[in-house]
Amino acid sequence: MEEIVHDFFPFMRVYKDGRIVRLMGEGFVPPESDPETGVQIKDVEIDPQINLSARLYLPKNVDSVQKIPLFVYFHGGGFVIESASSPSYHKHISKVAAEAKVVIVSVNYRLAPEYLLPIAYEDSWLALKWVASHIANGDGDEPWLKDHADFNRVYLGGDSAGGNIAHHIAIRVGLEKLDGMKLEGIFLACPFFWGKDPIDGEGENLGSKDVIEKLWLFVNPNSSGLDDPLINPEKDPKLCSLGCDKVLVYVAGKDTLRFRGFYYKEVLEKSGWPGTVEIVEVKDEAHVFYLSATEAENAMAMIKKLASFLNQS
């Protein structure tokens, strides 16, 4: 029997001979228009040299000169699985584009362990800079962005590890700025945050801490641990620099990470950041519930709430 050196079942396994076997998130949906929603879809290369790409979504009935909000999305998967072209994300993001009537750039950042952190963060920042290259007088040549993206109404979002990425990219926007782009808000669904010391509600989940710490040090072996600011926002002295005015956080009632979602709201409000945070808890649902049941009532309610958030003036 082959020896497993890293076992993250049901997501992936790494064997002694170096083989990496992803057990889920490997499906691929071609970038074809969604017949159900009428959303147009295509894949674009951002930097072919590092295999950085994105999947773009344009809702139907957008006229040739109409500017609509831009939503840059980072998929989840613990930094190790999934992609912008996997069936669950393809379906979910299509529904968001149709309901919210926004242009969406779903980023295909590189995954660990082949590309350890901070590569996912750096890829995501490069992707946002590529998006910003389409602002007036920029050198970007993607027509969906040049013709339809309103760069005064930009949002970032993501779920699980992607929510973690969206948060950190928003902080970088606050610190470094992108001329001509206004980041209005960020959407974090079941965000992947943790910490060394348990917070209220986590006392009975010590096993979860062990799993999360093992995964975190696997994808980021140079990390200081669970109080690294990359996974514990409370320990980040730059938290107050979050570069937007509003945040919407979704947590699931059966998700171990839900306590960290509530705690994120608490520490962000105490940091000196001047914006507003809203948190929504969906009872009796598990982690990233909207991906496994895209048509379910709670999933559709979340999409409608997100659509409203993305169209606030």
Side-chain angles (χ1 to χ4, degrees):
M1 186 175 180
E2 295 177 278
E3 183 178 349
I4 299 171
V5 292
H6 295 287
D7 192 350
F8 296 105
F9 182 84
F11 308 113
M12 71 178 302
R13 286 178 171 143
V14 180
Y15 291 86
K16 188 175 182 179
D17 63 5
R19 285 185 303 117
I20 298 164
V21 179
R22 290 180 168 87
L23 304 173
M24 60 187 298
E26 288 287 86
F28 175 83
V29 178
E32 299 171 348
S33 297
D34 185 354
E36 180 184 340
T37 62
V39 172
Q40 299 178 67
I41 302 168
K42 65 179 171 181
D43 289 343
V44 296
E45 289 187 327
I46 295 174
D47 188 338
Q49 291 186 323
I50 61 172
N51 196 29
L52 178 59
S53 65
R55 179 157 290 194
L56 272 56
Y57 298 77
L58 183 70
K60 66 179 181 180
N61 299 329
V62 177
D63 66 45
S64 59
V65 294
Q66 185 178 4
K67 299 287 188 179
I68 55 178
L70 172 62
F71 187 35
V72 181
Y73 197 84
F74 308 100
H75 68 81
F79 300 102
V80 297
I81 61 170
E82 295 289 0
S83 73
S85 54
S86 67
S88 53
Y89 282 101
H90 178 89
K91 185 76 169 176
H92 174 61
I93 299 300
S94 295
K95 288 183 175 295
V96 173
E99 182 68 31
K101 200 170 185 181
V102 295
V103 181
I104 299 181
V105 177
S106 184
V107 179
N108 250 332
Y109 56 87
R110 288 173 289 174
L111 301 175
E114 296 92 338
Y115 301 97
L116 298 169
L117 295 181
I119 289 293
Y121 299 113
E122 294 302 322
D123 282 359
S124 299
W125 179 248
L126 286 174
L128 189 62
K129 288 179 69 175
W130 172 81
V131 167
S133 74
H134 295 83
I135 297 169
N137 302 318
D139 58 5
D141 59 2
E142 170 46 54
W144 287 5
L145 296 180
K146 291 182 74 72
D147 295 344
H148 300 298
D150 184 346
F151 289 98
N152 288 312
R153 292 187 290 166
V154 178
Y155 293 82
L156 305 179
D159 60 277
S160 196
N164 176 301
I165 291 172
H167 161 78
H168 286 291
I169 298 301
I171 287 180
R172 195 160 177 179
V173 169
L175 292 169
E176 299 185 27
K177 313 298 181 188
L178 290 171
D179 290 341
M181 174 184 288
K182 178 170 173 45
L183 181 60
E184 289 278 357
I186 61 173
F187 168 70
L188 312 181
C190 305
F192 182 66
F193 299 129
W194 205 259
K196 182 178 179 181
D197 298 322
I199 58 175
D200 287 348
E202 284 180 352
E204 69 273 21
N205 290 310
L206 297 179
S208 296
K209 177 186 175 183
D210 292 342
V211 171
I212 290 168
E213 184 170 25
K214 180 183 175 184
L215 175 61
W216 177 248
L217 292 175
F218 176 69
V219 301
N220 193 7
N222 293 321
S223 172
S224 59
L226 291 179
D227 276 346
D228 185 329
L230 288 175
I231 193 170
N232 187 351
E234 182 186 20
K235 303 300 182 181
D236 191 350
K238 301 175 291 186
L239 182 61
C240 63
S241 299
L242 194 74
C244 60
D245 295 328
K246 52 182 178 278
V247 177
L248 174 62
V249 181
Y250 257 74
V251 297
K254 294 182 177 180
D255 185 6
T256 301
L257 297 176
R258 69 189 182 280
F259 304 109
R260 291 288 164 174
F262 284 109
Y263 196 53
Y264 174 78
K265 179 180 187 293
E266 181 181 329
V267 298
L268 185 56
E269 290 174 336
K270 290 179 178 178
S271 71
W273 174 71
T276 58
V277 192
E278 179 182 1
I279 189 160
V280 178
E281 181 178 14
V282 185
K283 302 286 188 181
D284 301 320
E285 292 286 6
H287 188 64
V288 297
F289 60 92
Y290 41 85
L291 295 179
S292 58
T294 57
E295 307 287 345
E297 181 180 353
N298 284 337
M300 295 307 298
M302 189 193 78
I303 288 175
K304 289 182 181 297
K305 175 75 173 180
L306 174 57
S308 176
F309 178 74
L310 297 176
N311 282 280
Q312 293 178 4
S313 57

